[in-house]
Every structure is written in structure tokens, then in C-alpha cells.
Amino acid sequence: MAKAPTHHGLALTLSILTATVAGMTPARAHSAEAQVTPVSDAALAHPPDEDWPMWRRTLDSWGYSPLRQIDTSNVHQLQLVWARGLEPGQQEGTPLVHDGVLYFPNPRDIIQAFDAATGDLIWEHRRALPEDIENYINAPFINRNLAIHGNLIIDTSADGFVYALDARTGKEVWSTQVLDYKTGVHQTSGPIVADGKVFTGRGCEPLPTAKPDYCVIVAHDAATGRELWRTRTIPAPGERGNETWGDVPFAERKHVGTWMPPSYDPELKLLYIGTSVTSPAPKFLLSGNDKKYLYHNSTLALNAETGEIVWYYQHVVDHWDLDHTFERILIDTEVTPAKDAVAWINPRIKPGQQHKVITGIPGKTGIVYTLDRRTGEFLWATPTIQQNVVAHIDGRTGEAKVNPDTTFAARGDEATVCPSMMGGKNWPAGAYSPLTRMMYFPLQNTCADYAVTIASRQEISSYGVRANTRLAPGAQGVGAIYAISASTGRIEWKYEQRAALLSLLTTGGDLLFGGDVAGRFRAFDQRTGKVLWQTNLGSQVTGFPISYAVQGRQYVAVSVGQAVNTAAYLLLTPEIRPSNSNILYVFALPEGWQSASTTSRPPQPATERPQTVASAAVGPVATQCRRSDRPRSGATRSPNGLFSAAQSAQGRKTYIEQQCASCHGENMRGSASAPSLADPGFRVAWANRSLQELVDCMKGTMPPGRAGTLSDADYVQILAAILEANGFEPGATGAALSSDPTTLDGIAFSAAQ
């Protein structure tokens, strides 16, 4: 499970962005009323294109927005529209948007409603929490998502409640206790709502005081908060699965948690949710390595009306804290697993046959599993990043065989395990696109050296193991994105980089958005993995990105800060040192952008894609300089060979010294506050324009706050550095480029290299 550390610092928030938040009263503040219409069950099942009404936008957990105003042809023009400082603490929030109002779940049970177009605060609700809560719950203030139904914003609280606020005013409407916070049980994610019911799980922490009755999935009436049912994830004597725990007394069974939001099929009326490891993790400490210990590390399908477990599929018997609690993606698709690309296939599959499937990477092992979501029948599975815990999966039964070299029999036993308990996959969510019929997942290349630290489950320990995480053998970086066909299981492309990668978003504009722990937020081409735009947000991009529209304008929103697991990933890349400020950023195309439609295009077949896409950095087009009205002599020559390497080197030095890099980036790749000076968009924007026109632009804008104060030679040296950064070659003779305007007028910044 992705657990918060015992001691956590409060993230610093930029004062200029937090002034309005800091000025609020300690309890609640209501400065206005949001004008929103009630949200029906039908609207949640099929939300309007412009809304983002739940964690992954839809009940099938696609993480997909059909909006397409922002697309592969114009994403390079994205610019910051507004930003807002958030409350300090562990920050993994997902904005919720309805009727032009953006609701955000801050740490510490603070919910805010903003005008989604301007960022102006409408209302704020600060839940009163017990003063002693941190004596019982470890870092209790993570809040990943909200839900909406009718006129209510619904959430789970740090002190063990499900509660609802009026979406218009922020006033509390109902509050229902699930568990006493003094049990130590915490839920780091909010609910989903479907068919008038609020569905939530529990973290079910591995504490000495833990009991099986704390490990529950619960349904409440969305209008009143009345509890409808609760289902334990650990069976009791007389219940199905009790025998799988061997001689472990019921009271000593603990920590099969469900700490991420579920998915839901409105047609089948089935709720799908994943579960975590037992505590302790090594099974010799329970009743032996030969038992299954249901329902840990499983996918559960529950009857939404009664809470009954209709079917389950256990992914692996877990000895290492490799939880399987993550998003379950629901798709209706052909199932034709490629025999040359997929490791384990059910031989009964008829290639091309349509199935209602539940698919994705549900656990830390990084293995893709596809099951029939009606019955739980195993269809196919295949690894992605390095893993050595699952040795084989029986295609007929779906049963996983554990690698015996990675299991334990006594205190002091050691093993190298891939991935580590930090996960090849973890809580950062993947996404699916109906345009490409591909799934996209943020993965991490990690392994760990494990050692068993206890000899009996009576000894106090969360998991009974120590794990020292390191990079996987042969990996140069931590992060990777895998694009995988939902039908064939084939890896269509992958993107790899040094920094760990976090949650993803797909859109109808053929775009894939995602951020990383270094603070980079990017837009990729869904079909090829090519980076089309990026910006540096300064802090780790820990929130779940979304897209929405207000009055025909499409926005992309994402939050940054410090989160569970990211500190561990950063230890693997010590040269990457982002800040920990909690901020919400919202981007859009420039004002006045005109587009025929913001709605989705029909799905199109995927084209050929490269197998691997190297890490890249591409920024927005430089559009701040207009074409000069001054007569030109006619630019016909190419810059190739017309400047010297020494001139370019001096220009780069001047660029750094004069603080140009503070906005445009040290590598000229741009940032949230200034466009890139070295990418395909920049070259297109300046194609066939003379070098003198580019010099005039620099004189009018650089250095920041002191435009035009450098010498002509300085500007031409910076120009030489820009030329080299864009792929033009310095001359072999070492001759410098002249600063004479007539000479520069005759040289074209050609897009053709």
C-alpha cells in the first residue's frame, strides 16, 4: 500500500498564490453561491463533455475527456490561465468540474469551490477535525477525490465519516460515521457515486490494534447518508474463503484494504474494487506459504444493491507489499491477444470475439490483466517493467504461480524483488483512449533488496520486512510510460526518462497529458508518444490531471505538491530537486482562439508507432513578437555555417548571466511563464523570417525587465546560441556572424534543416 510516512513536513506554498486562502477564517467562509444544476444518475453514467464529475471522469475509469479544442496541432500554444495556492500537506487531488465550477479536495479536509474559468474562490469548507487525530492515524490528511450527486459534493473525512456539502454554498448537509478514527483506519481516497449510492472503501492500516471488521467496503444513500450495506474484505468463520487463512484466528487477520476509488458498470450493476496485501506480508508468518488468504491482492466484483461479492480474481499471493488496489478500466473490446507479445493467454479465447472486460495494471507488479467483467474469467496477462515475483499464470484457470526465489521461510531471509514495494505501478493513474484503443500507464523501474525482520506475527511490525529500493538493473532512469493495445496486449510505444512519472489524462484531441516528480507537465501525441509541449511547474506533479470546458473554451488542470511515494522516487534521482509547494494550475489556448467544436471526434484506427520514444522536451511557440513593418532586403540564405561555435558558446553564457534562462529555461525549452526558444513549434513560427527580425524581437523583450540594454554583439551571440539549439551548424572556419542589420536581413531562419 502507498502509505504516508510517520512524520511529514508541511509543504511550503507560494505566498503570492496563497494570500486569499491564508486570509480565510479557521472554520468556514462563504463568499458567494455557486450556480449549478443538480447532477442525476444518468448524467454520471454519461456526463456532459464539458464536465469532469468524478475521479477518472466516468464510472469506467478511463481518465478520458472527449474535448478536442486543444489538439496535436495547437497544444504548443497552451498557456497558463490561472493558478491557486493550496493548503499544505500531502497533495494528490483531482479537481471536479460541473457547470463551470471547479471543486478541489485540499489536504486536511478542506474543500474549495472556484470559478473554473477565472480561479476566483466561490466558497470554502473547512471540516472541524479532532485535535488528537494524529495520535491515532498516520498522516491522515490525503484527499484524492470528490464525488457529486444532486446538489451535493460528497467526500470521506480523515476522522472516519462520509459527508455531503451543498454544492452551491459549501454548507454541510449530512455526515455519517463509518468507523471511529481511534481505530486508526483511514481512507486516502474519496467516493464514487452511481445509481444513487455512495461507494467507499477503507485503507485498513497494518496496526497492532487492527481488526478484520475495519476492512470494509460501504454503500450509503447519496441523498441522506444512510448506510445501505457494508462488506468485509476478510472472511469470517462460516463465510466463503475462511479456510484460505488456515489456522490464523479471525481476530488476528488484518490489512486487506481498498484505498483507491472503485469502478462501476451501470448495466451489470457491479462495483469493481481492488485490495491490498495482508499484514504481515510474508505468508510463513501467517499460516504458511501455501494458503491464499482471501481476499488480499484481488479484484472484487460486488453486487451494488447488496454488497455481495459476486466474483473475485486473486492476482498473486503477496509476500512483499505489492498491493493491487489501483484503477480498474472497463472496456467493451475485441480480445485478440498477440501470441508474440502476451505472456499468458486463456486458450479458450476466440480471437476477435467481443468481451466486456475489466483491464489495466491493477497492482504494483506492473502486470497487465484482462478479465471478463461479467464472470471474472481470466483472458490474458503480460508483464511490462521488470518483475520477478510472478513466475507463471495458468491460462485456463488464471492462477498465478509465485517465484519461490522471492518468498521467505524465516526471520533474516533475504531476496531481491522487482519491482519494489514503491511499485512498478502505484496510485498514479493510467488512462484509456477510445481514439487509439490503447491504455497508457505511468510506471517506475524499481527493485528492492528485502529482508524479513520478525519471526512471529505477534511481533509489532507493519509488514514484517525491510526493503531497500533501488533502480532496476540496466535502467538509467525511474520513469516510463507504456502505451498498450487493449485488444492485443501489444506494447505500441514507450517513453522513458530519468524522473518518476505520475498520473495521466487522455483527450479527444489525440493528446496524452502527464507530469513527473521533477515538475515537468507534458502533452504527448497519443499515437506516437512524441512530446508536443511541456512546462516546468516547479513542484512534483502529484495531482490527477483533468480537462473541462466553460463557455466553449477547453481547459487542462493539474495540481502539484508533495505526495506519498514521490520522496522515495526522488531518492533514486538525487540530482532532481523540485519544490514541495501545493498549487493548482489551469491552462488553455490563448484568448480569442476559435474552433468549430470542442466535442469528440469518432474513434480512428491507430497507425504504426515506434516501439520506444526517447525522452524529449518541447515547449510552446514563441508568439510574442510580431512581424516588423521595416522593409527587408529579402532573406534567402540559410544560417548554417554563418556563425561560430565560440560565438554560440559565449551567447549561451550571456543567456544564463542575463537571466534569460529564468523564464525560457536553461536549455531554452520554455516554462510556464515563457515559451520555448528551441523546438519544432518555434522553428515553424520563425520559418522564413530574417535573423534581423529575431534580433529585433530579442531587443524588445530581453533581458527580463531590461529589454534592449545589451550590446548588438551580445544579442547576436545569443542569436547564435538559439540557432545552434535549433539544429543549425556553426561554421568550420570559426568566422563570427556579423551584427550588421543588412547582413542579418538577408539570412532566413528556415524551418528546413
Side-chain angles (χ1 to χ4, degrees), residues 453-725:
T453 58
I454 60 176
S456 163
R457 65 176 177 269
Q458 274 70 45
E459 296 181 51
I460 295 176
S461 173
S462 293
Y463 299 106
V465 294
R466 179 181 66 251
N468 296 320
T469 298
R470 53 184 172 83
L471 276 175
Q476 299 301 309
V478 179
I481 295 174
Y482 280 61
I484 302 168
S485 168
S487 173
T488 68
R490 192 180 299 280
I491 297 170
E492 301 290 356
W493 58 259
K494 64 181 177 179
Y495 171 94
E496 297 178 298
Q497 66 170 38
R498 179 74 171 152
L501 284 150
L502 302 173
S503 295
L504 302 175
L505 155 74
T506 54
T507 74
D510 261 331
L511 295 170
L512 174 71
F513 288 92
D516 64 27
V517 298
R520 271 40 175 199
F521 186 52
R522 298 183 178 90
F524 302 83
D525 186 308
Q526 284 180 19
R527 299 174 187 273
T528 66
K530 181 181 179 181
V531 178
L532 303 177
W533 170 85
Q534 77 165 353
T535 187
N536 185 356
L537 300 180
S539 291
Q540 305 157 53
V541 187
T542 52
F544 298 86
I546 72 161
S547 187
Y548 62 91
V550 180
Q551 296 183 346
R553 190 181 190 193
Q554 183 183 354
Y555 299 83
V556 175
V558 71
S559 54
V560 303
Q562 183 181 24
V564 174
N565 278 29
T566 57
Y569 295 142
L570 286 167
L571 288 175
L572 302 177
T573 54
E575 77 281 7
I576 297 173
R577 295 180 292 175
S579 78
N580 293 326
S581 299
N582 289 356
I583 305 170
L584 174 64
Y585 290 101
V586 178
F587 301 88
L589 294 174
E591 281 281 5
W593 172 262
Q594 297 298 318
S595 177
S597 174
T598 60
T599 57
S600 62
R601 66 185 72 182
Q604 300 171 6
T607 56
E608 288 229 0
R609 308 167 192 89
Q611 281 295 308
T612 302
V613 178
S615 174
V618 184
V621 176
T623 56
Q624 74 273 37
C625 297
R626 298 179 179 177
R627 290 184 181 271
S628 172
D629 294 329
R630 186 163 66 85
R632 298 297 186 196
S633 59
T636 59
R637 302 175 66 192
S638 167
N640 271 322
L642 299 184
F643 61 96
S644 70
Q647 197 174 28
S648 173
Q650 182 58 45
R652 182 168 290 279
K653 181 180 178 183
T654 303
Y655 174 88
I656 298 295
E657 290 175 346
Q658 297 298 328
Q659 300 181 7
C660 308
S662 64
C663 295
H664 295 281
E666 187 172 343
N667 294 318
M668 302 188 181
R669 297 296 186 181
S671 71
S673 58
S676 170
L677 302 177
D679 72 358
F682 181 85
R683 292 192 287 275
V684 170
W686 285 93
N688 302 317
R689 297 169 71 175
S690 80
L691 296 191
Q692 184 58 44
E693 194 169 355
L694 185 50
V695 170
D696 289 344
C697 172
M698 288 192 290
K699 286 183 177 180
T701 59
M702 297 166 59
R706 297 177 291 110
T709 58
L710 304 185
S711 68
D712 288 348
D714 287 335
Y715 283 114
V716 173
Q717 287 166 349
I718 296 173
L719 170 63
I722 292 173
L723 291 173
E724 189 166 15

Side-chain angles (χ1 to χ4, degrees), residues 187-443:
Q187 177 62 2
T188 55
S189 301
I192 66 164
V193 176
D195 291 343
K197 301 177 184 63
V198 181
F199 300 108
T200 61
R202 285 299 172 274
C204 193
E205 277 69 19
L207 304 173
T209 56
K211 298 185 184 304
D213 285 333
Y214 301 163
C215 301
V216 292
I217 305 159
V218 188
H220 292 81
D221 182 278
T224 66
R226 179 175 62 90
E227 183 174 314
L228 303 175
W229 53 257
R230 68 172 58 198
T231 297
R232 265 184 286 101
T233 55
I234 298 175
E239 297 177 346
R240 181 180 66 176
N242 172 65
E243 72 286 353
T244 66
W245 285 79
D247 61 1
V248 180
F250 179 63
E252 294 182 21
R253 303 172 186 179
K254 58 185 178 182
H255 190 50
V256 179
T258 52
W259 46 273
M260 293 296 289
S263 303
Y264 182 70
D265 186 324
E267 177 189 343
L268 300 178
K269 305 296 183 185
L270 291 178
L271 182 77
Y272 304 95
I273 196 165
T275 61
S276 72
V277 68
T278 60
S279 173
K283 297 304 178 278
F284 84 90
L285 291 166
L286 295 174
S287 190
N289 290 346
D290 59 331
K291 304 294 191 300
K292 292 185 179 296
Y293 308 97
L294 295 178
Y295 294 97
H296 93 278
N297 272 33
S298 298
T299 294
L300 304 181
L302 282 72
N303 182 313
E305 294 297 321
T306 65
E308 176 192 2
I309 298 175
V310 176
W311 60 256
Y312 73 91
Y313 174 83
Q314 187 170 49
H315 296 274
V316 64
V317 175
D318 183 354
H319 305 255
W320 322 274
D321 185 21
L322 297 181
D323 301 336
H324 280 63
T325 55
F326 313 129
E327 71 278 2
R328 267 68 176 169
I329 299 173
L330 312 183
I331 308 170
D332 295 349
T333 184
E334 288 185 358
V335 176
T336 311
K339 292 182 179 179
D340 63 338
V342 174
W344 305 295
I345 302 173
N346 187 328
R348 293 186 294 271
I349 290 175
K350 296 179 180 179
Q353 187 174 12
Q354 286 284 128
H355 284 261
K356 291 182 176 296
V357 306
I358 179 170
T359 186
I361 299 181
K364 293 181 182 178
T365 61
I367 295 174
V368 185
Y369 290 86
T370 297
L371 312 174
D372 186 298
R373 72 173 182 269
R374 294 179 183 272
T375 64
E377 180 184 17
F378 174 83
L379 298 175
W380 61 266
T382 198
T384 54
I385 45 82
Q386 288 190 47
Q387 73 84 28
N388 67 349
V389 297
V390 175
H392 178 73
I393 297 177
D394 186 314
R396 292 186 178 277
T397 66
E399 185 172 359
K401 180 181 179 182
V402 171
N403 175 8
D405 293 339
T406 62
T407 61
F408 311 102
R411 179 167 56 189
D413 280 2
E414 298 180 348
T416 297
V417 176
C418 300
S420 77
M421 65 172 61
M422 294 299 102
K425 169 78 168 65
N426 210 301
W427 57 263
Y432 170 76
S433 171
L435 306 182
T436 62
R437 299 181 180 91
M438 290 195 288
M439 305 178 286
Y440 306 86
F441 297 104
L443 302 174

